[in-house]
Amino acid sequence: MNIFVIGSTGRVAQELIKALVEDGHQVFAGARQPEKVVESEQVTPVKFDLHWDVPEMAQALKNAEAVYYVAGSRGKDLLQTDLFGAKKAMEATEQAGIGRYIQLSSANSMQPETWKGSGLEALMDYNIAKLFADHWLIDHTDLEYTILQPGSLEEAPATGKVALNSGELGKNTIPDVAKVLAGLLTNEAAKKQVVAMRNGDEEISAALNSL
């Protein structure tokens, strides 16, 4: 498939692009600074700015069959990027006639009652942005979405094992998050679903097959 990745210079995105290439997909790597993307036969850097208006975004997405939203400002531009940018990206995806949309979110993003006292409180503003972005995707679009909610991200080697929808918070190695994201692309059971993940004991492929 032709896949557009929004936020391609981020930590998760770089691993996701590797996973998508391994799976044989063509990747359009959207980034505000596309010169930072490593180009190859299967990876095409594309200028994409979440401060753009929707029609300009839609034009950039026009050759894609599915979109990943894995952008994040790391707390530096929460309203424009993590919230309003995400909303515009959804609208642009629909305007471009693309159905499949996979959004990287955060643990318990739609359960604000769990944030206090759980370690999530330190990310309050980020979680608020994710709360509204996730709800917009579910409530205000017709996209075939999947929302992935990992816990805290670790820059560590892949384990190849996870726990999905376990009901417990936990850490996640970034390569494992990327592998799960890539595996969700063609997973029919994951469509219109919110999937929580943490490091666990089940092989990623088996965990995805059990959704």
Side-chain angles (χ1 to χ4, degrees):
M1 296 176 66
N2 291 334
I3 312 299
F4 199 102
V5 177
I6 298 173
S8 289
T9 58
R11 297 178 299 166
V12 174
Q14 292 177 57
E15 294 295 330
L16 171 60
I17 290 169
K18 292 178 188 176
L20 291 171
V21 167
E22 287 174 4
D23 290 342
H25 301 293
Q26 292 290 326
V27 177
F28 295 99
R32 186 169 52 86
Q33 297 175 293
E35 66 276 8
K36 292 186 177 181
V37 175
V38 178
E39 187 172 2
S40 70
E41 288 186 5
Q42 286 178 261
V43 180
T44 302
V46 179
K47 176 73 173 178
F48 193 93
D49 194 328
L50 288 163
H51 288 204
W52 284 350
D53 292 332
V54 171
E56 195 170 4
M57 288 185 182
Q59 180 65 21
L61 297 173
K62 64 181 181 179
N63 294 317
E65 299 168 89
V67 172
Y68 280 90
Y69 185 92
V70 291
S73 68
R74 303 190 76 173
K76 297 176 182 178
D77 192 32
L78 286 170
L79 290 179
Q80 288 264 38
T81 295
D82 300 81
L83 180 51
F84 193 44
K87 172 186 177 291
K88 289 188 293 182
M90 297 169 208
E91 294 172 340
T93 300
E94 290 193 302
Q95 195 171 110
I98 302 164
R100 191 74 174 105
Y101 191 92
I102 300 174
Q103 180 157 287
L104 181 64
S105 187
S106 62
N108 291 11
S109 62
M110 292 184 287
Q111 298 168 277
E113 68 278 4
T114 68
W115 297 348
K116 291 186 177 181
S118 65
L120 298 176
E121 194 169 4
L123 301 171
M124 183 67 72
D125 289 347
Y126 173 74
N127 284 324
I128 290 170
K130 287 300 183 184
L131 167 69
F132 284 96
D134 289 349
H135 271 298
W136 190 274
L137 179 55
I138 294 169
D139 298 333
H140 298 283
T141 79
D142 293 318
L143 294 166
E144 288 188 329
Y145 68 82
T146 303
I147 297 170
L148 182 65
Q149 299 178 321
S152 57
L153 301 178
E154 291 184 298
E155 294 187 4
T159 68
K161 296 183 178 182
V162 296
L164 300 183
N165 295 331
S166 69
E168 298 177 357
L169 296 176
K171 295 181 178 181
N172 302 262
T173 63
I174 289 174
D176 288 338
V177 173
K179 281 288 189 181
V180 171
L181 282 167
L184 290 170
L185 179 63
T186 56
N187 189 309
E188 291 295 321
K191 291 181 178 179
K192 301 281 187 177
Q193 298 297 324
V194 178
V195 179
M197 73 169 287
R198 61 174 175 81
N199 288 342
D201 300 318
E202 191 171 18
E203 296 288 342
I204 289 175
S205 58
L208 288 168
N209 287 337
S210 67
L211 288 174

